Amino acid sequence: MTGTTRPRIRLLLPAALAALAVTATTAAASTSPTTTAPHPVTSPDHRAHAKNPKVMLDAWLRLWNGDYTEAPGIISPEFTVHAALLDGGDGSGIHGADGLVAWIAQTRGAFPDLRFSLQTDPLIAGHRASVRWTATGTYAGGFPGAKARPGTRVTFTGTDTLRIEDGKFVEYWLNSDTLQLLTQLRAL
């Protein structure tokens, strides 16, 4: 994402974070004269990840850390999200690599330097993989009800469970510590 504008897109993210990003981004976008969407995702070689869950999970982590180039190589066009959102949504509105990238980009608008790291080695069994992560970033402001000042550092945790089919991720279940994040934003 370039410039200071933030896209107005319905997102999900680690359950609470997505809802935070939607609200913060919508508030910021309503005061901006124009908004832009993230650029479409492209990748030089989609075959590099096929059928290697460990390599796919490494690319998944890079994707959440803002490197969108490998998304088409690991995300199926049929990709769907399952997550409980603060706005009451279930995450079913995100599809494919472009939908996921838009969601991540919008989330990163509320926390521009957001950095995900793994807490443990991934668990891989058959067509499923699961990772436990920690996210740390700086709040950029704009979330209604948050009393935290822009510049507040936040850290929260979560677990991603992914289903793999034909060498790509096709389903994503998210569980993140919403209470931990909202407490740090002083939004409770």
Side-chain angles (χ1 to χ4, degrees), residues 12-137:
L12 319 172
L13 175 62
L17 186 54
L20 291 175
V22 170
T23 307
T25 303
T26 301
S30 66
T31 60
S32 301
T34 60
T35 59
T36 58
H39 298 289
V41 180
T42 59
S43 177
D45 185 4
H46 300 284
R47 295 167 297 185
H49 302 294
K51 307 207 191 273
N52 185 333
K54 175 64 175 127
V55 172
M56 291 172 63
L57 287 169
D58 289 344
W60 177 258
L61 183 63
R62 287 190 299 276
L63 177 63
W64 280 96
N65 283 325
D67 179 358
Y68 308 133
T69 59
E70 297 175 84
I74 62 169
I75 305 300
S76 168
E78 291 80 32
F79 181 83
T80 59
V81 175
H82 308 279
L85 305 180
L86 288 177
D87 68 359
D90 63 2
S92 62
I94 295 177
H95 298 283
D98 287 338
L100 180 62
V101 166
W103 179 27
I104 294 169
Q106 189 162 359
T107 299
R108 296 184 68 80
F111 303 88
D113 63 348
L114 193 60
R115 185 85 181 138
F116 289 83
S117 59
L118 299 185
Q119 287 184 336
T120 63
D121 290 335
L123 299 173
I124 300 169
H127 296 287
R128 300 207 189 276
S130 187
V131 293
R132 176 74 178 168
W133 48 260
T134 298
T136 303

